Amino acid sequence: MSELLRLATAGSVDDGKSTLIGRLLYDSKAIFSDQLEAVERTSRERGDEYTDLALLTDGLRAEREQGITIDVAYRYFATPRRKFIIADTPGHIQYTRNMVTGASTADVALILLDARQGVLEQSRRHAFIASLLGIPHMVVCVNKMDLVGWSRQTFEEIRDQFRSFAMKLEVHDLSFVPVSALHGDNVVARSGSMPWFDGPPLLHHLENVHIASDRDLVNARFPVQYVIRPQQLGRGAGTGDRRPGPGGDPADYRGYAGTVAGGVIKAGDEVVVLPSGFTSHVAEVRAPGGAVLEEAFASQAVTIRLTDELDISRGDMICRPNNRPVLSADIDAMVCWFSDRSSLRPGARYLVRHTTRSVTATVETLDYRLDVNTLHRDDTAGGLELNEIGRVKLRAQSPLMFDPYRRNRATGSLILVDPATNNTVAAGMILGAEQPRVAPNVTWHPTAVQRSERRSAGLTVWFTGLSGSGKSTVAVEVERLLVASGRTAYLLDGDNLRHGLNADLGFGPADRAENVRRVGEVAKLFADAGSVAVVSLVSPYRADRNRVRTSHEAAGLRFVEVFVDTPLEICEARDPKGLYARARAGQIAGFTGVDDPYEPPDTPDLTLRPGHGGPSAMAQLVIARLGL
Amino acid sequence: MTYELSHLRALEAEAVHIFREVAAGFERPVLLFSGGKDSVVMLHVAAKAFWPAPLPFPVLHVDTGHNLAEVIEFRDRAVQRLGVRLEVARVQDDIDSGRVAEDTGPRASRNRLQTTTLLRAISEGRYDAVFGGARRDEEKARAKERVFSFRDEFGQWDPKNQRPELWNLYNGAHRRGEHIRVFPLSNWTELDIWQYIAEEAVELPSLYFAHRRPVFERDGMLLAVSPFVTVLEGEEVFEATVRFRTIGDATCTGCVESAASDVDAVVAEVAASRLTERGATRADDRISEAGMEDRKREGYF
Ligand SMILES: Nc1nc2c(ncn2[C@@H]2O[C@H](COP(=O)(O)OP(=O)(O)O)[C@@H](O)[C@H]2O)c(=O)[nH]1
């Protein structure tokens, strides 16, 4: 099965973005020969040494030269594994609006920089916009490596510099590839000139980056888009056959059509309809065209019927009674202003489009304007001009049902439409309660004890690795050593927690993500209380682990990631619980290392390999790394 | 359960979402239907989006009068099967009433005249949303066009002044007399279309599959012999096994030599093809590099 991946590219003028995209299209054979001939002809006429692949995607350059509005251009290519949609956006500051637009739906941000120039102000801006728009994966291509003698040191300096900046942003998955777009090194094929680079070439990375668990598959959200009632004759109906409704009298049919915005919905689920608050059960879920589905998940367009006849219309939200979005008319959001004809001012009124709702809203306050280059907050700003980003409070005429954008891009995004011109003047990312399950009226209650007043500073040591890698054995030893030395430490073992706290979770990507999130939250509580939380958890997906790291760092807590890098063959030979054998026999599906990927950390704080000795030698290494 | 959608299902879901947005937000939508494969796929997805209800809008065919018979037959069967209302806007009517003047000569084509007929039909029908089957991979100017593409009261597109389009929040706001062109298949490629046709067993006019017919060569393309084209001196008619990659006005839509007689064979051929479909078979697009952008501004499909 081939998956769809949306990619947003950003780079400054002449970093080689067009060349790189041209190279991807060319080397993956997405270029047709008539297009290529045209490019070769132009190159020849200009006397170029090489066929200038940048010409394949030169739409934006031409616009630039002609002084026309620069726009997002979409390009397509496919490999047997994936179909790619590239939103190609110009990188200059006056095109922030275009990058925001292209980034809004992207799974991966591809940021390009010139090896000779290193990390510039604009690279930081690109990273910031990508993180603001919640792009889950970021790949930094350090281009023109040929012009710096394929220098490993140059690449690593740029990588470290970029990474230290990205630490301040919410970037969960960050990778780096040294490339030469012009010569094709590390774009589709591995570079012969940079044998020191052991990561995959760009295309390989794009084909394999794990995107399935980026969607929110936990919190069920279904904004009703359209109510299907066949008994009301459609405006387009002719005299042809009328198809009967499915089962029973078509006069009773009432289907709620929409696109699942979060979680999983299946027949039998108890649901609540917001804002009315009526409850019912899902009677059936159908795909377009009527095929019955066992369940529907985020991004699927479906039609749902409920067991009770309720008055439901477009703009309502169907969700689970114990897991509701925030329902509020007061919205705290980051917005990017798009208009060059007007500016955003407190007191102004706009039409808000959010999920399937449209409501009028007033800008109550502009809290600050953010400098996209320095991230400096200017709280004296009186308005936002074209391409500016700021934090606002909106008051809507009727409540919206939303989640924070960082938890759900579908229920956390909005646009503002100017009623005077009908133009789209801003994009908004809703901030808000950090925890999804917090009821709207539950707020964080600060405690009277400061962390510094506690006996010792806590932290989390997180062991990740395949089943059978030896995580738990080392973790047990680490806990023992810590306690013996007088520290409070507590082992949180993934398998053990699945008996209680996580007994309701399975092993699908969404449940795994939730498992990691919960264990991360519990570890944070222990660490906050001054203990060393020792976590042993397969936690196969990089993005899930990085989220835990980010949330620790946001809380000012240390997070030490220990990668137990035992090769699969060894783990499988050990097979202490007989699980590999069962997975190979097809009795367990989605087993990490067998038919589900394990994504090793990019930059673990410590890597333990079999060569390091037995469990107690490894535990000593960990204790040394903690430096307590 | 891995909760992954194949790329075809993801594209279908996106298109379904767009159809439902329009049906919910506009007064009088209409779907442009020519019998060509993109419009057939568009109609197929539209019908699925509203199941089990009938399509909540009619379909419109802008008829140049220069059709191969198979296409009209197919069109009538398709709308009959789906029970939708078909409106036909005839270029001939605009020629008869003098609103447009027809080119003369053996190479004359009615392709450009369609714009006038289309805009007349939109204003007479007071349509506020018009679905088109255009794809962004077809051509440079289309690569930048929005899914919801605003048209002013003269039906014109202003590529310099498009509304930003984010997430799946489409802005269809417009005043009376203005309308929105909606392109649900924007992100599909020719190969996606064919793969979808194969997967869904979508019925197409027989012209899309290899068949024998008399053809002649002009400007490096094969044109079908029909009552609407004049074979010029030096152009030699011969019989060949061909299929069409697009279906448009018979005077300017070429065919390619091909033995692909069923969908799977066509998918294989398209996947291996090294020529864009417009580059291969559309004389109208060869006119100039900027051909499409100019025509789109005027209000063309
Ligand atoms: N030496 C070298 N030149 C490159 C490389 N990539 C791009 N260039 C050149 O850099 C210039 C700008 O590239 P282009 O792709 O047009 O940049 P864009 O403005 O980011 O789209 C062109 O002259 C390219 O040929 C590379 O990897 N090595």
Side-chain angles (χ1 to χ4, degrees), chain B residues 9-81:
Chain B
R9 291 305 132 195
L11 292 171
E12 183 192 62
E14 179 180 73
V16 165
H17 182 85
I18 292 163
F19 280 119
R20 291 168 172 174
E21 273 308 279
V22 171
F26 289 76
E27 300 275 319
R28 297 176 65 83
V30 69
L31 182 146
L32 295 176
F33 185 68
S34 64
K37 67 179 189 318
D38 297 333
S39 73
V40 171
V41 165
M42 180 164 70
L43 183 60
H44 180 89
V45 178
K48 290 182 78 174
F50 300 100
W51 184 95
L55 213 60
F57 39 78
V59 303
L60 171 68
H61 182 210
V62 177
D63 182 1
T64 61
H66 290 169
N67 303 293
L68 297 171
E70 292 94 324
V71 180
I72 296 300
E73 239 168 66
F74 176 87
R75 176 197 78 184
D76 293 342
R77 242 184 312 123
V79 297
Q80 175 66 28
R81 192 182 54 237

Side-chain angles (χ1 to χ4, degrees), chain B residues 33 60-67 72 75 87-94 110 114 117-118 120 249 301:
Chain B
F33 185 68
L60 171 68
H61 182 210
V62 177
D63 182 1
T64 61
H66 290 169
N67 303 293
I72 296 300
R75 176 197 78 184
E87 308 277 347
V88 179
R90 292 186 175 77
V91 172
Q92 190 64 51
D93 293 346
D94 291 288
R110 289 183 168 182
Q114 289 182 86
T117 308
L118 172 63
R120 173 175 60 80
D249 186 296
F301 299 105

Side-chain angles (χ1 to χ4, degrees), chain A residues 11-20 52 54 57 61 64 112 116 143-147 179-184:
Chain A
S12 308
V13 180
D14 283 342
D15 283 347
K17 185 159 57 72
S18 314
T19 311
L20 183 73
D52 186 357
T57 58
R61 170 185 312 276
R64 201 155 61 214
L112 207 68
R116 296 170 302 176
N143 188 32
K144 308 199 185 180
M145 287 300 293
D146 53 312
L147 298 181
V179 303
S180 168
L182 190 64
H183 300 286

Side-chain angles (χ1 to χ4, degrees), chain A residues 1-4 6 29 31-34 63 68-69 71 74 76 83 101 104-105 212 215 225-226 228 235-236 238 243 246 253 257-259 286 288-290 295 297 299-303 314 338 341 353 355 405 413-415 417 420 422-424 427-429, chain B residues 1 3-7 10 13-14 16-17 20-21 23-24 26-27 48-58 80-81 83-85 136-137 140 143-144 146 160-167 169-171 173-175 186-187 189 192 273-276 279:
Chain A
M1 187 184 81
S2 139
E3 241 182 326
L4 193 64
R6 294 175 196 259
K29 310 204 163 45
I31 299 298
F32 292 104
S33 56
D34 49 333
E63 291 175 2
I68 308 178
T69 313
D71 218 316
Y74 293 91
Y76 304 85
K83 171 190 162 100
T101 301
S104 70
T105 51
R215 286 161 302 164
Q225 190 185 11
Y226 184 83
I228 296 180
R235 287 167 289 196
R243 281 156 300 162
Y253 186 92
T259 302
R286 287 183 190 252
E295 49 189 354
F297 53 91
S299 76
Q300 270 184 305
V302 296
T303 304
R314 174 174 165 89
F338 287 159
R341 298 179 199 173
R353 294 268 296 104
T355 63
Y405 183 77
S413 52
L414 56 84
I415 57 171
V417 175
N422 284 337
N423 277 331
T424 304
M429 282 67 64
Chain B
M1 191 71 202
Y3 300 123
E4 281 173 41
L5 280 185
S6 73
H7 79 278
E14 179 180 73
V16 165
H17 182 85
R20 291 168 172 174
E21 273 308 279
F26 289 76
E27 300 275 319
K48 290 182 78 174
F50 300 100
W51 184 95
L55 213 60
F57 39 78
Q80 175 66 28
R81 192 182 54 237
V84 296
R85 195 173 78 232
R136 287 184 181 140
D137 80 322
K140 263 191 211 157
K144 292 181 291 183
R146 304 292 188 257
K160 293 183 202 166
N161 194 16
Q162 301 193 76
R163 296 173 179 173
E165 197 158 75
L166 298 100
W167 299 291
L169 298 174
Y170 300 102
N171 176 4
H174 63 279
R175 297 195 183 83
S186 286
N187 287 321
T189 60
D192 296 329
S273 167
R274 310 298 317 137
L275 222 51
T276 59

Side-chain angles (χ1 to χ4, degrees), chain A residues 331 335-339 341-354 357-366 382-385 392-398 400 414-427, chain B residues 171:
Chain A
I331 301 148
V335 297
C336 178
W337 192 252
F338 287 159
S339 173
R341 298 179 199 173
S342 64
S343 50
L344 175 139
R345 302 260 161 221
R349 289 159 77 94
Y350 302 101
L351 193 70
V352 173
R353 294 268 296 104
H354 169 259
R357 286 200 149 213
S358 293
V359 300
T360 301
T362 309
V363 178
E364 294 278 294
T365 56
L366 171 63
L384 294 179
E385 307 292 331
V392 298
K393 299 273 183 304
L394 301 172
R395 155 74 50 91
Q397 274 183 349
S398 61
L400 297 180
L414 56 84
I415 57 171
L416 300 183
V417 175
D418 183 343
T421 61
N422 284 337
N423 277 331
T424 304
V425 288
Chain B
N171 176 4

Side-chain angles (χ1 to χ4, degrees), chain A residues 247-279:
Chain A
D249 184 354
D252 294 338
Y253 186 92
R254 219 182 241 256
Y256 304 107
T259 302
V260 183
V264 175
I265 295 168
K266 53 184 181 302
D269 280 351
E270 189 186 8
V271 291
V272 62
V273 182
L274 298 177
S276 70
F278 290 121
T279 56

